[in-house]
């Protein structure tokens, strides 16, 4: 991995697999009575979120603390940005305080890459989600969650037999909903295809990029692009999916007329109880959160799937901490062996 994590494309299959394998070690740390190791003692991680977040910010901050790093939290709404300070001056101010990593979220695509160009060699920039572009740690946590669902670690109940190395080969994964605006969709597509899954993009034409086939073929390597299909009909593919990856629909975009109405969207793309019945018996459902209950998935369907252990949302969140521990350890760790904290 280079000094920054901006997209999953930069990691490639080998790098993604390495991060998932490393995540196993931090899942184990998270299960200890005191889930803390000294690996990043003396390091400082700053979270710079210029757009709202619950999961990503808290997961990064929890991950950094569990690695014994110091955490610096920047809040855009209470910062000197409101006095007219520029983004670059803000970044340079935080860098001058002495940080090893900056986690950057911004509503504009490309801001983390720009921050990476501004900071010195000693600072790693991690993309916490930029515009429609990329959300690499979400892609890693979703891929990890699916890998470890279908190929559990040895002390978990057995699942579908996949080799115990990071792979999603043999799985058919649907990504459903607002694909055009979704950084999660882009990073999930990169992660899933790199690990050998077949991916079916399911959305109305208005929620897909224009010329979606060309978009896929120009963006992904040929081998990955061949694994991606595109359809407008959820019911045409639902029964053959191993995974239904729901995406958040933004109500404000619905007001823009990208879909006819919420009931129309639910009728064609919502995961209703009826559709949940039509899932394969071992199929699972993911969602990056936050969920709009009653739109992407109805309350009844969510409750039934959760009761069956087939709604993986909370597991995605739990794994999000371990994945971010792995990424921080890999980027700014000094090679210190993992182990119990001295305070244990
Ligand atoms: N999935 C995700 O990025 O959630 P947050 O916006 O809460 O970080």
């Amino acid at each position: 991995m280079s000094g920054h994590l901006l997209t999953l494309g930069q990691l490639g299959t080998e790098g993604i697999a390495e991060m998932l394998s490393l995540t196993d070690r931090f899942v184990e740390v998270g299960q200890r009575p005191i889930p803390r190791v000294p690996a990043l003692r003396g390091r400082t991680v700053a979270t710079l979120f210029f757009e709202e977040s619950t999961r990503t910010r808290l997961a990064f901050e929890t991950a950094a603390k569990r690695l014994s790093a110091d955490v610096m939290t920047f809040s855009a709404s209470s910062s000197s940005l409101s006095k007219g300070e520029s983004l670059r001056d803000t970044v340079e101010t935080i860098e001058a305080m002495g940080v090893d990593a900056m986690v950057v979220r911004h509503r504009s695509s490309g801001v983390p890459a720009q921050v990476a160009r501004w900071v010195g060699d000693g600072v790693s920039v991690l993309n916490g989600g930029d515009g429609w572009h990329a959300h690499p740690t979400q892609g890693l946590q979703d891929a990890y969650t699916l890998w470890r669902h279908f190929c559990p670690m040895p002390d978990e109940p057995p699942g579908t037999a996949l080799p115990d190395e990071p792979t999603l080969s043999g799985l058919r994964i649907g990504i459903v909903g607002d694909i055009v605006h979704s950084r999660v969709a882009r990073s999930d597509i990169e992660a899933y295809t790199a690990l050998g899954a077949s991916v079916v993009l399911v959305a109305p034409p208005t929620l897909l990029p224009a010329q979606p086939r060309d978009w896929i073929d120009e963006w992904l390597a040929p081998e990955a692009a061949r694994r991606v299909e595109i359809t407008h009909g959820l019911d045409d593919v639902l029964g053959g999916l191993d995974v239904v990856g729901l995406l958040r629909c933004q109500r404000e975009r619905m007001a823009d007329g990208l879909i006819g109405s919420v009931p129309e969207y639910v009728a064609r793309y919502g995961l209703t109880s009826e559709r949940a019945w039509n899932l394969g018996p071992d199929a699972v459902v993911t969602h990056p959160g936050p969920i709009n209950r009653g739109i992407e998935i109805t309350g009844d369907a969510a409750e039934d799937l959760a009761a069956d252990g087939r709604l993986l949302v909370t597991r995605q969140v739990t794994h999000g901490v371990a994945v971010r521990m792995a990424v921080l350890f890999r980027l700014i760790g000094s090679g210190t062996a993992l182990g119990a904290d001295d305070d244990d």
Side-chain angles (χ1 to χ4, degrees), residues 52-57 105 135 138 288-290:
E52 301 75 12
S53 168
T54 297
R55 292 152 197 79
T56 310
R57 183 202 279 273
R105 168 171 288 194
H135 196 348
Q138 181 76 45

Side-chain angles (χ1 to χ4, degrees), residues 5-9 49 51-57 59-60 103-106 109 112 126-143 181-191 219 288-290 320 323-324:
L5 178 60
L6 302 175
T7 69
L8 290 182
F49 278 56
E51 188 197 83
E52 301 75 12
S53 168
T54 297
R55 292 152 197 79
T56 310
R57 183 202 279 273
F60 266 114
V103 183
V104 179
R105 168 171 288 194
H106 202 284
S109 298
L126 294 89
N127 184 354
D130 62 329
W132 306 355
H133 173 230
H135 196 348
T137 52
Q138 181 76 45
L140 289 173
Q141 82 187 59
D142 294 348
H181 303 106
S182 176
R183 56 195 176 212
V184 174
R186 285 165 177 77
S187 289
D188 281 352
I189 291 167
E190 284 189 309
W219 166 37
V323 157
R324 289 167 177 105

